[in-house]
Amino acid sequence: MEKRPVGINDLFETKSVTNPVLSPNDEEAVVVVTEMNKEDNEYYSAIHHIDLRTQNVTQWTFGKQKVSVPKWSADGKMLAFLSNRTEKNQLYVLQTAGGEARQLTECKNGVGSFEWAPSGQKIWFSGSLKTGETFVSKEEAKKEFPQPVRVTKMKYKADGAGILPQDEFAQIGCVDLATCSVTNFTSEPCDHSLEAVSHDGEQLVVGVNRKENDDQDFSSPLILIDTATKEETVLVDEQGYFGDVYFSKDDRYIAYVGADLTFKNATQAEVFVYDQANGLTMNLTTGIDAPVGDDSISDHLQQAVAPGVVWTEDEQLYFQLSVMGDVRLYAATLDGAIYPATGEDEHVHGYDVASNGEFALLTVSTATHPGELYLQTIATGERTALTTFNENWLKKVQPVAPQAVQYMSGATEVHGWLLKPADYEEGKQYPLIVEIHGGPHAMYGNTYFHELQVLAANGYGVLYVNPRGSHGYSQVFVDGVRGDYGVGDYEDIMAGLDEVLAQESWIDSDRLGVTGGSYGGFMTNWIVGHTNRFKAAVTQRSISNWISFFGVSDIGYYFSDWQLNADMRDADTLWKHSPLKYAKQIDTPLLILHSENDFRCPIEQAEQLFITLKDLGKVAEFVRFPQSDHNLSRTGKPNLRVARLKEIIGWFERYL
């Protein structure tokens, strides 16, 4: 059977295989499989069980719901998970021997996270409560009228959440499995994150910032708490993000992942280990000039949850590392030895490691494969596929394989990829679209990206590169964009275009398009305001005016300072880096796509740009997406994701 190119509606054909978790005896595992339902316009997921001895795969949960973060009890007889089957995420548990899942919580605002107690008789969890409220308190249902919201802090809203409740905080509670009775463990009027439970059950690690006004405070202190006495030991308390905490098998060591603010939000994440025996902390990854974790972007993966680290019995630690477009599994020992455990040219977006360190479970995607679950022997690298959820789709569809691109932009080496059109024929010429990622501190990688494949399927070449500011190429490289927006990064992107035009005769230099979202939207706006080389552009969830962004974005008041080294005390610098300033120079037909409920790059950014361009007599159109936030292209309503792709293809068809 002749294979066809990737189509827009293949969004509904591919499945996202994520979050592999081994059972305590390392003989079983579960994964979460998510798919988009066209009829219901929703995302549904299910837990699948794998017997590693027989490699039999069995679906364990069913129904029109989302499930997430499955975790085994210490004896392996129960599996707990979160599900929105009653609208908000609640905690469920099922017997692994069989039977229906049982709901454990009825938290008014849902459950945020959870961890098993080692006894298997209770589960710790977190959820939001009003001050003075308990997890078991119930309010009578009553008709509620809209009320004004008094705002006293700058951190009062968040993309995806909207206006934040002013008198609610994340608290930690505990539910007894036998009785379903719930008790509160914390009650202070500040947010608590449940990070880890020791294997003996006597200690919790909790993240909590007790500062009354945290508008300019970006610390996330980690506190070790004795569950009986509530005595506290501070693990880390400095500006930056620290979390993903895991106890070693004997509870002596506590590993966590974090990054300080030396380079603001461009600081690469590291693995730290705290030794309870002597109170000392070591940085295990200080010798690696790459970020710990998964910084690769994709529009296919759903609920791609991976542990920050995994301990083995011999006190080795495994973790993800983002490097040169790959996300690889690495291992480290406490004496400082570090080595890669997986190869190149792929995206390891989920993993777990056997207690004895002999094998790992991996969920892996590549540029031409949406991903499956694999078992890999650590010593030999031998790999066996355990699932085939996307096998039938790949029998009828042929994604385009990218070719790597590497070039010099001045003195800076830049890396990227080039997709040829799916219908490519030698001797013909084709239009080219330059795609620019968001962040800017993220990276394009060797992973399946539906949007890029759809563009190639519609007869376009696609160039996507990692300019300065991207992760995976060194601390200097990722920091290189800060204070330099629209300069070095612009040069890197244009140098990549020049490189492929010089090397690839099939590209029609008179039919060039450019698009990107978030920071990529900013850069799209910037590019068309500084060159007329592109015949069409699509800007998505973009920034056009840094002055207004400062006050309307949920992160604007600090992100502007971190990225541009300027705030409202230096409006001239904000305006200098604003694409809106250069609107008179925009002659490229520009399609503006934006979500109504985007609090990260609010829709007023698009409104300003559109009205200004129309007032100047420019060619521009504006499409607004209802009920959508900043993540429309990744987690938005399925029908709106389809509509967005059709808008992009339609605009380029019209002008290229």
Side-chain angles (χ1 to χ4, degrees):
M1 182 177 69
E2 185 176 350
K3 293 186 177 183
R4 61 171 176 80
V6 176
I8 290 177
N9 283 318
D10 284 317
L11 280 170
F12 302 100
E13 299 294 325
T14 52
K15 296 183 179 181
S16 180
V17 185
T18 61
N19 199 193
V21 187
L22 280 161
S23 66
N25 64 9
D26 292 330
E27 295 179 351
E28 305 170 76
V30 291
V31 291
V32 176
V33 180
T34 306
E35 56 189 316
M36 293 168 58
N37 184 284
K38 192 171 186 178
E39 181 180 340
D40 295 336
N41 203 32
E42 293 290 350
Y43 299 80
Y44 296 136
S45 55
I47 295 172
H48 291 253
H49 171 265
I50 301 95
D51 186 321
L52 299 181
R53 296 159 296 187
T54 64
Q55 296 188 14
N56 288 335
V57 179
T58 307
Q59 186 170 338
W60 267 9
T61 65
F62 299 84
K64 295 182 176 182
Q65 60 185 295
K66 266 189 177 181
V67 297
S68 59
V69 290
K71 298 180 181 181
W72 301 81
S73 60
D75 60 7
K77 294 182 178 180
M78 290 179 284
L79 188 79
F81 58 91
L82 298 181
S83 174
N84 66 350
R85 62 179 65 180
T86 57
E87 188 175 350
K88 293 185 178 178
N89 267 348
Q90 301 293 348
L91 184 58
Y92 291 78
V93 65
L94 57 77
Q95 300 288 330
T96 58
E100 179 64 27
R102 179 165 61 103
Q103 183 175 341
L104 295 181
T105 62
E106 293 183 5
C107 297
K108 184 176 63 176
N109 296 315
V111 172
S113 64
F114 72 91
E115 296 288 345
W116 278 95
S119 64
Q121 297 173 7
K122 64 181 183 180
I123 297 177
W124 297 91
F125 70 93
S126 67
S128 294
L129 295 172
K130 289 183 178 179
T131 301
E133 193 176 38
T134 66
F135 283 111
V136 295
S137 65
K138 294 184 178 180
E139 296 181 354
E140 292 185 13
K142 59 183 178 181
K143 185 174 182 180
E144 293 188 0
F145 297 103
Q147 300 293 326
V149 177
R150 183 180 304 281
V151 174
T152 59
K153 295 183 178 182
M154 288 189 281
K155 294 179 182 177
Y156 72 92
K157 62 181 180 179
D159 186 64
I163 303 299
L164 301 175
Q166 300 299 291
D167 191 30
E168 283 187 3
F169 301 94
Q171 304 292 355
I172 295 171
C174 198
V175 57
D176 183 281
L177 267 68
T179 64
C180 286
S181 59
V182 177
T183 56
N184 280 57
F185 185 75
T186 65
S187 59
E188 296 173 276
C190 47
D191 289 316
H192 302 75
S193 64
L194 176 62
E195 296 290 341
V197 180
S198 62
H199 294 91
D200 62 12
E202 296 178 1
Q203 296 174 304
L204 296 183
V205 177
V206 172
V208 57
N209 186 331
R210 294 183 168 115
K211 294 183 175 65
E212 185 174 342
N213 189 335
D214 60 358
D215 283 335
Q216 299 293 352
D217 186 273
F218 299 94
S219 63
S220 50
L222 295 178
I223 312 296
L224 181 65
I225 303 178
D226 185 295
T227 57
T229 66
K230 291 195 175 183
E231 181 182 348
E232 296 185 357
T233 301
V234 177
L235 298 183
V236 59
D237 183 7
E238 61 179 294
Q239 296 297 301
Y241 165 77
F242 299 91
D244 284 325
V245 183
Y246 300 86
F247 284 85
S248 61
K249 300 292 185 181
D250 62 1
D251 288 332
R252 172 177 170 176
Y253 299 102
I254 303 172
Y256 57 92
V257 177
D260 62 27
L261 292 185
T262 301
F263 303 95
K264 304 305 181 184
N265 62 326
T267 308
Q268 295 180 146
E270 309 268 14
V271 174
F272 299 89
V273 175
Y274 174 82
D275 186 347
Q276 293 208 69
N278 57 28
L280 298 179
T281 300
M282 66 186 95
N283 181 345
L284 280 194
T285 53
T286 188
I288 298 181
D289 196 3
V292 171
D294 182 354
D295 288 300
S296 180
I297 61 169
S298 167
D299 60 355
H300 163 66
L301 294 172
Q302 301 293 323
Q303 304 188 131
V305 180
V309 302
V310 169
W311 287 94
T312 58
E313 291 169 346
D314 60 356
E315 294 178 345
Q316 286 199 83
L317 299 94
Y318 287 80
F319 53 90
Q320 293 164 303
L321 196 74
S322 295
V323 56
M324 294 287 289
D326 294 322
V327 179
R328 304 174 67 180
L329 187 66
Y330 267 67
T333 60
L334 293 179
D335 61 7
I338 297 177
Y339 59 91
T342 62
E344 300 177 337
D345 300 325
E346 64 183 20
H347 179 194
V348 177
H349 54 80
Y351 74 100
D352 201 356
V353 182
S355 295
N356 60 13
E358 290 185 1
F359 69 90
L361 287 188
L362 311 169
T363 48
V364 182
S365 173
T366 68
T368 56
H369 197 304
E372 296 290 354
L373 175 68
Y374 301 87
L375 186 150
Q376 178 171 314
T377 304
I378 297 294
T380 65
E382 182 181 358
R383 187 178 289 182
T384 302
L386 297 177
T387 64
T388 56
F389 291 106
N390 289 300
E391 185 178 272
N392 288 334
W393 180 77
L394 284 166
K395 287 179 179 177
K396 60 185 179 182
V397 176
Q398 183 59 65
V400 178
Q403 62 189 69
V405 176
Q406 208 153 339
Y407 58 93
M408 298 304 295
S409 171
T412 302
E413 187 173 80
V414 184
H415 178 223
W417 296 265
L418 178 66
L419 288 176
K420 287 183 176 178
D423 60 355
Y424 175 78
E425 293 181 26
E426 198 73 40
K428 287 189 176 182
Q429 283 205 312
Y430 299 85
L432 177 77
I433 294 171
V434 177
E435 278 264 7
I436 308 169
H437 69 63
H441 308 308
M443 73 176 188
Y444 280 128
N446 291 301
T447 192
Y448 178 74
F449 209 122
H450 178 257
E451 178 179 330
L452 305 183
Q453 291 291 336
V454 167
L455 289 172
N458 279 270
Y460 301 101
V462 185
L463 174 66
Y464 53 110
V465 304
N466 285 325
R468 266 169 279 187
S470 303
H471 263 308
Y473 299 90
S474 80
Q475 182 64 79
V476 170
F477 192 90
V478 71
D479 188 51
V481 74
R482 293 198 312 122
D484 201 41
Y485 269 48
V487 185
D489 47 2
Y490 172 73
E491 294 170 0
D492 293 349
I493 294 166
M494 300 307 291
L497 177 60
D498 291 337
E499 175 73 14
V500 297
L501 286 173
Q503 299 296 327
E504 307 290 338
S505 60
W506 58 266
I507 300 174
D508 186 343
S509 60
D510 291 326
R511 290 191 291 162
L512 303 176
V514 61
T515 186
S518 195
Y519 163 80
F522 157 81
M523 185 51 64
T524 299
N525 296 341
W526 185 268
I527 285 173
V528 296
H530 288 77
T531 180
N532 289 327
R533 294 180 68 178
F534 296 93
K535 296 299 182 287
V538 181
T539 184
Q540 308 168 53
R541 57 188 185 277
S542 72
I543 296 170
S544 66
N545 183 349
W546 287 102
I547 292 177
S548 62
F549 178 85
F550 182 89
V552 297
S553 169
D554 61 347
I555 62 173
Y557 74 92
Y558 61 87
F559 186 84
S560 302
D561 183 37
W562 289 1
Q563 294 295 303
L564 301 179
N565 298 329
D567 56 21
M568 287 300 291
R569 287 171 284 253
D570 184 9
D572 288 344
T573 295
L574 296 180
W575 184 239
K576 182 181 77 172
H577 289 282
S578 296
L580 196 65
K581 177 180 179 179
Y582 310 97
K584 287 190 296 184
Q585 299 166 203
I586 296 177
D587 293 319
T588 305
L590 183 63
L591 177 64
I592 304 168
L593 307 181
H594 220 105
S595 296
E596 295 284 358
N597 301 332
D598 190 336
F599 278 35
R600 184 60 38 84
C601 297
I603 199 168
E604 61 87 32
Q605 293 286 307
E607 292 170 335
Q608 290 185 68
L609 182 60
F610 174 68
I611 293 300
T612 299
L613 291 177
K614 296 298 285 186
D615 186 56
L616 292 169
K618 308 292 185 176
V619 179
E621 292 184 13
F622 182 19
V623 181
R624 306 170 69 115
F625 292 84
Q627 302 176 39
S628 304
D629 58 27
H630 196 64
N631 289 301
L632 166 65
S633 66
R634 298 176 284 265
T635 59
K637 286 288 185 181
N639 74 303
L640 296 179
R641 290 183 62 179
V642 168
R644 170 186 164 274
L645 290 169
K646 288 181 176 179
E647 290 288 348
I648 295 170
I649 295 297
W651 191 257
F652 287 131
E653 283 181 349
R654 192 189 313 182
Y655 291 101
L656 296 184

